[in-house]
Amino acid sequence: MSFPCTWCWFDVDGSRDVDHGRTTTGRESCAGGARIKTMADDVVEEGEGPAFVAEGEGVVVADLCDDVANDEAHEGAEASDDASTVLQVHRGAVYAVAWSACGRRVACGGGDDAAHVAGAPTAVQVAALHAHRDSVSALSFAMDGRSLATGGLDGYVCVWDVSTSQKQWQWDGPSDGVEWVDWHPRGNVVLAGAEDGSTWMWDASKGRLMNSFHGHGGSVTCGRFTPDGTHVVTASADASLKVWDPKTGTCLHTLHRNPFHDQAINAIHISQDSTVAITGAVDGSVRLANIQTGRVLGKLEGHTDSVETVGFSNKLPLCATGGLDHKLCIWDLHTLTLRGSKEHPDSVIKLLWHPKEPLVYTACADGNVRLWDARTMECIQMFRGHSVGAQ
């Protein structure tokens, strides 16, 4: 039995008591319903990849699961559901969510091979997008919010006009599933990384291939344009990070093995000034690297299991990491030391910094989203409703 994906809107301003406190990820499935929830907030920034993503005026989280084997769990979740708005769209697991930078639209893609777009905060469905022949694994809005890029396990990347639901372009290139997609911060250009180790870049105005980037020996698990748009940074299951010139396709720097990672890289984030990358790997290692010089800046040691999510604060010299060891860790970038950590009841799947305050959202495999003060490590608020892992 499949459970329809649900969009929900949370009131972040409301006060609520909080609890202090191997997950499935991506395309794996587990017991429970496929649900998406959003938490209203007028100052949340763009996220870095599929799942727990935020842009504009909210935060989106999604259940990992597509099977309602445990109906009692859902009944209990509804009893303490903080959502104020619900929209059911998918029939299957949700693998990717994205919020437009203008804060007016939210998109999700899933195991039913479709993507859906809804208005915010009304949650009225705007578009149903059907073209992929396998699960929609990645999503990204253009900066103006008018176009949406979708990537699928069928190896295709599609660009859609959201207002008309019309497919503008469909590109092939990867010989395997698409891991992530990203829009250039200022241009009409789409970037996508794939399981076959390749990365592709297209002109979304003319529909033509601009460049492809080859050199990784494993799946390109994460990547993006730098915030200033001058470089492409990719990281891979082969434990390497590469910095590329998007115009020529030349690899400018490669970081691999000692003193970098020895095992597959799961997560990457780039500092707002486009100079430093933070990466997390399956062995619990975290590294900081200067992407302009190609030098490793330091190691952050504290996790005992796979690091699933990383991120820089835009306001303070801090960064955060979360992993399968149930930990959220806050690090001082000046001293490269652990400022504090907090145990969660289950794996930390995704984190997101508030753009204006020293606050961090975490999505946990227990189904709850928590808001933490990075200065005191106090849990300020918890958002309930999901009965299984929120990503």
Side-chain angles (χ1 to χ4, degrees), residues 101-349:
C102 64
R104 298 174 183 172
R105 287 169 176 162
V106 190
C108 64
D112 56 0
D113 308 345
H116 296 268
V117 181
T122 61
V124 174
Q125 186 167 1
V126 175
L129 311 176
H130 300 275
H132 291 281
R133 295 175 292 181
D134 205 336
S135 300
V136 176
S137 52
L139 297 167
S140 183
F141 277 100
M143 291 304 294
D144 61 8
R146 298 176 182 176
S147 298
L148 176 73
T150 61
L153 297 188
D154 55 4
Y156 287 98
V157 173
C158 298
V159 173
W160 307 82
D161 183 323
V162 174
S163 61
T164 65
S165 303
Q166 295 299 307
K167 183 175 64 177
Q168 297 174 310
W169 308 107
Q170 179 170 313
W171 301 310
D172 57 10
S175 61
D176 211 334
V178 175
E179 289 271 18
W180 52 270
V181 293
D182 188 38
W183 283 84
H184 192 277
R186 293 187 300 274
N188 204 16
V189 177
V190 176
L191 186 70
E195 292 177 326
D196 64 0
S198 64
T199 302
W200 302 76
M201 186 174 72
W202 295 274
D203 182 340
S205 298
K206 301 178 180 179
R208 65 181 181 88
L209 177 67
M210 298 179 68
N211 234 320
S212 60
F213 310 89
H214 303 271
H216 284 295
S219 176
V220 184
T221 52
C222 47
R224 58 170 294 176
F225 288 107
T226 54
D228 63 9
T230 61
H231 294 91
V232 169
V233 183
T234 59
S236 171
D238 67 2
S240 73
L241 177 147
K242 291 181 179 290
V243 181
W244 309 84
D245 183 330
K247 294 182 179 179
T248 65
T250 303
C251 181
L252 304 175
H253 302 292
T254 298
L255 290 83
H256 191 218
R257 303 297 180 184
N258 189 40
F260 202 53
H261 295 287
D262 291 321
Q263 295 189 29
I265 299 171
N266 288 326
I268 188 172
H269 194 238
I270 311 296
S271 62
Q272 196 61 32
D273 64 3
S274 300
T275 62
V276 180
I278 181 173
T279 51
V282 298
D283 60 358
S285 61
V286 179
R287 299 290 185 266
L288 292 167
N290 187 313
I291 59 177
Q292 295 182 332
T293 65
R295 296 182 58 187
V296 176
L297 299 176
K299 304 177 181 180
L300 303 179
E301 298 180 342
H303 286 283
T304 58
D305 205 340
S306 178
V307 175
E308 300 292 293
T309 179
V310 298
F312 288 106
S313 167
N314 287 342
K315 298 302 177 181
L316 294 174
L318 302 174
C319 64
T321 56
L324 300 191
D325 57 2
H326 304 187
K327 288 182 181 179
L328 165 69
C329 294
I330 305 295
W331 308 87
D332 187 315
L333 290 173
H334 288 322
T335 62
L336 303 186
T337 57
L338 183 65
R339 184 184 180 97
S341 67
K342 272 295 179 179
E343 289 278 346
H344 287 60
D346 210 326
S347 301
V348 179
I349 304 171

